[in-house]
Amino acid sequence: MFRDYLKELNEAQQAAVINTDGPAMVIAGAGSGKTRVLTYRIAYLLQQGVPAHRILALTFTNKAAGEMKERIMNIVGPEKARSLWMGTFHSIFARFLRYDGHYLGYKSNFTIYDQDNTRSLIRAIIREMKLDDSVYKPASIAARISHAKNNLITAQQYGAVPQITESDKASRVPEAANIYRHYAARCFKSNAMDFDDLLMNINILFRDFPGVLEEYRNRFDYVLVDEYQDTNYAQYIIVHKLSEKHRNLCVVGDDAQSIYSFRGARIENILNFEKDYPDYRLFKLEQNYRSTKNIVNAANSVIEKNAGQIRKTIFSKNDEGEKIRVIQTTIDSEEGIVTASDIIDTRMRERLNWKDFAILYRTNAQSRIFEEMLRKRNIPYKIYGGQSFYERKEIRDLIAYLRLIVNPDDEEALRRVINYPKRGIGDTTVQKLMELARALEVSIWSVISSPELSARHLAPALRTKVSQFTGLMLPLMAVAETATAYDIASGMASASGIITELKQGQVPEEIDRLENLQELLNGIKEFTESAVTNGEPADIATWLQSVALLTDQDLEKPEDRDKVTLMTIHSAKGLEFKYVYIVGLEENLFPSAMNIFNPRELEEERRLFYVALTRACRRVTLSYALNRYKWGSLERGSPSRFIGEIESEFLSYPQTGGKPFRQRAVFEPLPGTDSGEAARPLTPPAKMTRLRDARDRQPPSAVPGPSQAPDYELEEGDRVRHERFGEGVVVSVEGEPPNTTALIDFKSTGTKKLLLRFAKLTRI
């Protein structure tokens, strides 16, 4: 039966599927059928008699894992594939830690903290340490802790690394090490791990308990890793350790799509695979099935400029397709008019759905202009990566109750719900309970649920209040392991008083909150019924873990499916659309001004542009504005270098009849735009004329005003401070104002070449 499926593959794909022994790397170009190859390789292993439970497949999204497992089941049958170890890094390693976390002192019912939980706890610690939260920003401190954990630096080690402490001092957060220590201790006391802990603790487990590592090495004969270019150091070490014995490791990815270094991803993991496994086999999937020839060739002409890459030649056998259109606008708001009008016109002409269109941008802030214009034109749209269903207050409130049922030591969950709905247990009382719990070296729940401790340490009035709270929690805690997730959740929603509280609301927002809660219970009901049908765990702990580990791509709602998508390019990776608009293609915006002087960072910006181009199936439109508002001032811009890196034969300029633009703004109607709206500027003609005259009198780039004037008198040897890079020493200064650049050696981040008018340097 499986032979029929092999016939669906091209020669390169077949080779990647059937050569299963030893280390292998599959370099899968954009749209080359990567998921199919990974799926069929696993199915092939199963067909060859490898037991499903001997195969470990690691992905980055639950959606990818679910789709692959479903396809595998369709090929080999549900029974043969049921016990596959397939899931995201975090979900698989959470399972490992449920079994063996006790070696590290964790109970099996530990809570998984998401980003909101982490920041909330860090915010509380900052407040308790009496630090300025405008300097010690919770999101920034959380990012520092995350970066440390991804590099396997524990709270105990953090303060002993000179480069880190110097960087913290330069960034005016010298107490970051102490915050990390408090945060780690509080998580451990609450029997909680954050996402990064799931990776770091597996590494600690394998390092400190060789017998446990040996057990997992013996458990899996084959390890497969999807999107290997996105792995960080912690993931790299885990994969290496698990596959070191049998060496049947297959990694699949594309170095040209490595765009997540800010999350800790290391492109070196894929570029250096050959050094780690000298006897590896390399398979290149170079045929793009997604895009037209013009799009593929244009993308190739850009990415070939990168030095750090595994060379390959991506090709397409699809139609030639349209050339990539380049659109120039006079001002940024005009870009929204052009894009909205073109979407309407193309949709009507081609009889398409709204979901066939995507607007991609470099930064989230760019979405505003396009949102406003899409609303004005009654175009339905969704912002990808906006607030998810599970981030709404009423949802988080009920989930906190459910977390507490499973893990009573979860301090963050208890603090959230002990006085919601109101029970007369205010913040001051909660703070006293926290201090008492620390003094007794127990959790808050241990204090309030123990008759002996309550009688000894709590006033009678407070005992009465907390006993009401423990009284509603204890009955559900007693049946948490035996009852279904739905029975627990619906019982908690009623017993807690949340439903009663929301039913009393009369305004539309409160009615929406009640409906959201009902939708959550509907989702838990579906989970329960599906789990029971498939013979899988249907308890509340299993549901909580599945929700805690959801990724952005797992959260699409049915009502969002036929809408224009607005998203950052980082969020777009792995997706595809028929028509793609890449907007804001201006120098210092894309590529980012922060990355243009560092060759390594510039190469990642180029890979990001490559990812954007290769999301499109039929047509790509590139647009930029010659003038853009920044901090209330109109600044003149220039086209991104990436447009110029595309070979001219793959580009078209519909506004000029095919001729490339001169630097001066020329704005003609797009062919076929309805009512000529795309040709009309947002401002009246007279005002636009004045704007153009003013623009023509400006220097090539806007120079900061006196209040933020750059110091062009820097000299070699001067010590300076930068907001992002910390302290550094000037190595050399070149050029004349306003284009003066300085080469600066920063202690924590290395040498950077900065344009002084943008650098915002402070002399020390």
Side-chain angles (χ1 to χ4, degrees):
M1 179 178 75
F2 190 69
R3 293 285 175 191
D4 295 333
Y5 289 93
L6 282 178
K7 290 178 181 177
E8 298 175 11
L9 305 175
N10 64 36
E11 188 175 337
Q13 291 172 329
Q14 280 192 30
V17 166
I18 64 175
N19 290 283
T20 57
D21 292 335
M25 179 165 66
V26 180
I27 294 299
S32 64
K34 167 183 70 71
T35 302
R36 173 175 286 189
V37 166
L38 196 55
T39 300
Y40 285 14
R41 186 180 173 97
I42 295 170
Y44 184 80
L45 286 169
L46 295 172
Q47 287 281 344
Q48 298 304 303
V50 178
H53 66 270
R54 308 288 297 177
I55 300 172
L56 173 63
L58 299 168
T59 69
F60 275 85
T61 68
N62 295 290
K63 182 179 179 182
E67 289 177 352
M68 283 195 284
K69 195 164 187 178
E70 186 175 346
R71 291 187 195 182
I72 292 166
M73 285 182 173
N74 289 336
I75 296 171
V76 301
E79 290 302 320
K80 207 162 191 175
R82 194 181 301 280
S83 56
L84 268 175
W85 283 79
M86 174 177 279
T88 64
F89 280 88
H90 293 93
S91 65
I92 293 293
F93 298 149
R95 288 175 66 184
F96 288 6
L97 290 165
R98 297 284 182 205
Y99 300 140
D100 296 308
H102 61 89
Y103 287 100
L104 304 178
Y106 289 91
K107 301 172 187 174
S108 62
N109 63 338
F110 64 81
T111 299
I112 299 173
Y113 279 179
D114 62 15
Q115 185 182 79
D116 185 76
N117 304 139
T118 292
R119 291 182 180 179
S120 175
L121 178 54
I122 289 174
R123 187 178 295 109
I125 291 169
I126 290 169
R127 192 161 48 241
E128 291 165 16
M129 292 176 67
K130 296 181 169 51
L131 299 172
D132 184 351
D133 61 6
S134 67
V135 177
Y136 289 87
K137 297 177 181 178
S140 176
I141 297 297
R144 286 175 178 270
I145 293 173
S146 175
H147 184 265
K149 289 182 178 181
N150 285 336
N151 287 284
L152 304 182
I153 299 170
T154 65
Q156 290 73 31
Q157 297 167 331
Y158 186 93
V161 181
Q163 297 95 322
I164 293 178
T165 54
E166 287 299 316
S167 174
D168 288 347
K169 287 177 185 176
S171 301
R172 300 188 302 132
V173 288
E175 290 295 317
N178 286 328
I179 297 172
Y180 185 7
R181 278 195 291 272
H182 284 300
Y183 172 74
R186 294 274 280 275
C187 284
F188 185 76
K189 182 181 172 184
S190 294
N191 193 34
M193 300 186 200
D194 61 25
F195 275 28
D196 300 311
D197 285 326
L198 295 174
L199 303 179
M200 188 168 74
N201 283 335
I202 281 291
N203 273 290
I204 294 172
L205 182 68
F206 288 172
R207 181 196 68 194
D208 295 349
F209 299 91
V212 176
L213 172 59
E214 190 64 19
E215 180 187 335
Y216 282 104
R217 278 179 176 165
N218 292 332
R219 179 177 296 183
F220 302 113
D221 294 325
Y222 293 86
V223 176
L224 301 96
V225 183
D226 191 17
E227 304 287 9
Y228 191 63
Q229 78 282 346
D230 293 337
T231 53
N232 60 29
Y233 179 66
Q235 290 162 327
Y236 164 80
I237 294 294
I238 296 169
V239 168
H240 185 72
K241 285 182 176 179
L242 284 174
S243 58
E244 199 169 21
K245 186 173 184 178
H246 55 70
R247 304 187 82 253
N248 292 324
L249 171 64
C250 175
V251 302
V252 182
D254 182 8
D255 57 292
Q257 297 185 66
S258 179
I259 59 173
Y260 294 126
S261 65
F262 67 96
R263 293 182 186 169
R266 300 168 78 246
I267 192 173
E268 295 85 2
N269 293 350
I270 196 165
L271 294 181
N272 295 337
F273 190 82
E274 180 180 8
K275 295 179 182 177
D276 293 333
Y277 304 92
D279 58 336
Y280 86 119
R281 299 189 65 171
L282 175 64
F283 304 96
K284 294 183 181 180
L285 309 183
E286 297 175 299
Q287 183 173 351
N288 180 302
Y289 291 91
R290 174 189 300 154
S291 309
T292 63
K293 289 179 180 176
N294 261 309
I295 293 172
V296 170
N297 292 334
N300 284 344
S301 68
V302 171
I303 202 63
E304 70 180 11
K305 311 292 192 298
N306 272 6
Q309 63 172 298
I310 297 169
R311 295 290 170 181
K312 49 195 168 295
T313 304
I314 307 301
F315 66 94
S316 172
K317 293 184 178 180
N318 295 334
D319 294 339
E320 201 74 28
E322 297 182 46
K323 291 186 176 183
I324 291 177
R325 305 186 310 163
V326 182
I327 303 299
Q328 175 180 277
T329 63
T330 304
I331 193 170
D332 50 4
S333 53
E334 210 166 11
E335 202 176 15
I337 296 175
V338 172
T339 304
S341 296
D342 194 58
I343 288 173
I344 289 174
D345 177 68
T346 304
R347 178 176 177 268
M348 293 180 66
R349 187 174 63 249
E350 304 290 338
R351 298 182 180 180
L352 300 166
N353 298 310
W354 295 117
K355 67 180 179 182
D356 295 325
F357 299 88
I359 301 173
L360 308 182
Y361 33 77
R362 179 66 179 82
T363 66
N364 277 307
Q366 292 171 252
S367 71
R368 180 191 61 82
I369 288 169
F370 300 95
E371 286 189 73
E372 289 178 359
M373 189 48 58
L374 293 176
R375 280 201 299 268
K376 286 179 182 177
R377 303 299 301 272
N378 294 317
I379 299 174
Y381 69 91
K382 61 180 176 181
I383 298 285
Y384 204 95
Q387 185 189 42
S388 84
F389 177 79
Y390 292 96
E391 291 173 343
R392 293 167 177 155
K393 179 185 181 301
E394 59 276 12
I395 303 303
R396 299 196 74 91
D397 288 337
L398 181 55
I399 287 177
Y401 271 110
L402 301 178
R403 282 167 44 198
L404 200 59
I405 287 173
V406 173
N407 175 17
D409 294 329
D410 187 341
E411 183 182 295
E412 272 299 295
L414 186 143
R415 287 172 55 214
R416 185 179 185 101
V417 300
I418 193 171
N419 197 40
Y420 177 76
K422 290 188 181 300
R423 300 184 179 90
I425 308 174
D427 291 344
T428 302
T429 302
V430 172
Q431 187 62 36
K432 289 179 180 177
L433 288 172
M434 290 171 60
E435 291 169 0
L436 175 60
R438 281 192 208 113
L440 297 173
E441 296 185 344
V442 296
S443 67
I444 298 176
W445 175 260
S446 296
V447 174
I448 65 177
S449 64
S450 165
E452 181 183 344
L453 290 176
S454 293
R456 189 186 308 164
H457 297 285
L458 303 183
L462 180 55
R463 284 206 305 272
T464 300
K465 292 173 182 176
V466 298
S467 66
Q468 293 173 353
F469 178 67
T470 57
L472 76 91
M473 300 297 300
L474 286 168
L476 288 167
M477 287 178 175
V479 297
E481 293 184 10
T482 55
T484 68
Y486 178 74
D487 289 340
I488 293 291
S490 58
M492 191 76 259
S494 299
S496 64
I498 294 179
I499 289 180
T500 303
E501 172 99 350
L502 295 180
K503 279 184 176 178
Q504 293 172 355
Q506 299 298 319
V507 298
E509 291 80 4
E510 291 171 326
I511 295 171
D512 285 346
R513 290 172 63 195
L514 182 61
E515 291 175 350
N516 289 337
L517 200 64
Q518 183 60 53
E519 184 58 32
L520 176 67
L521 293 174
N522 291 342
I524 298 175
K525 181 75 169 177
E526 289 175 12
F527 163 84
T528 300
E529 291 176 349
S530 174
V532 170
T533 300
N534 295 319
E536 297 171 349
D539 58 289
I540 194 64
T542 302
W543 180 83
L544 280 170
Q545 176 163 309
S546 70
V547 170
L549 297 174
L550 287 174
T551 64
D552 286 347
Q553 291 191 22
D554 301 317
L555 297 175
E556 184 181 43
K557 299 184 288 294
E559 62 269 25
D560 279 346
R561 285 177 187 160
D562 192 25
K563 294 181 179 179
V564 174
T565 299
L566 275 67
M567 66 200 313
T568 64
I569 302 165
H570 283 102
S571 298
K573 186 169 165 293
L575 304 177
E576 63 179 55
F577 305 91
K578 291 180 181 176
Y579 293 82
V580 169
Y581 298 80
I582 307 172
V583 299
L585 269 169
E586 295 134 42
E587 201 69 7
N588 297 320
L589 181 56
F590 192 16
S592 166
M594 300 297 291
N595 299 330
I596 57 177
F597 295 114
N598 183 306
R600 179 187 174 93
E601 292 173 352
L602 181 60
E603 289 207 347
E604 179 153 332
E605 291 283 309
R606 188 175 287 112
R607 292 195 296 270
L608 190 60
F609 183 56
Y610 175 83
V611 167
L613 287 172
T614 55
R615 297 313 91 200
C617 301
R618 295 187 188 174
R619 188 177 74 196
V620 176
T621 300
L622 312 177
S623 65
Y624 62 90
L626 291 175
N627 300 277
R628 184 173 295 274
Y629 277 101
K630 295 179 182 177
W631 301 104
S633 299
L634 195 65
E635 293 189 8
R636 186 173 182 180
S638 58
S640 167
R641 68 185 70 191
F642 295 149
I643 297 176
E645 289 181 357
I646 299 175
E647 296 293 337
S648 58
E649 63 186 289
F650 307 124
L651 297 175
S652 71
Y653 299 84
Q655 294 161 299
T656 63
K659 298 178 181 178
F661 297 108
R662 300 180 222 164
Q663 187 62 23
R664 181 177 173 80
V666 178
F667 189 73
E668 301 294 339
L670 277 174
T673 47
D674 61 317
S675 306
E677 181 169 0
R680 295 200 301 272
L682 283 177
T683 48
K687 187 173 181 180
M688 182 59 74
T689 301
R690 290 196 299 274
L691 180 138
R692 284 174 176 155
D693 290 343
R695 187 196 70 236
D696 290 340
R697 289 195 297 270
Q698 289 179 335
S701 295
V703 179
S707 64
Q708 52 183 8
D711 189 347
Y712 291 118
E713 302 303 318
L714 287 177
E715 297 179 356
E716 182 180 338
D718 284 351
R719 293 177 65 238
V720 294
R721 179 179 288 113
H722 185 274
E723 289 180 357
R724 176 182 174 191
F725 304 132
E727 290 186 15
V729 177
V730 177
V731 178
S732 62
V733 181
E734 299 176 357
E736 298 296 325
N739 297 316
T740 306
T741 61
L743 188 66
I744 302 172
D745 184 11
F746 292 100
K747 293 180 182 177
S748 57
T749 54
T751 303
K752 310 281 183 184
K753 189 173 184 180
L754 303 179
L755 191 63
L756 292 185
R757 70 170 182 267
F758 292 123
K760 297 181 181 178
L761 293 168
T762 305
R763 284 204 205 203
I764 301 174

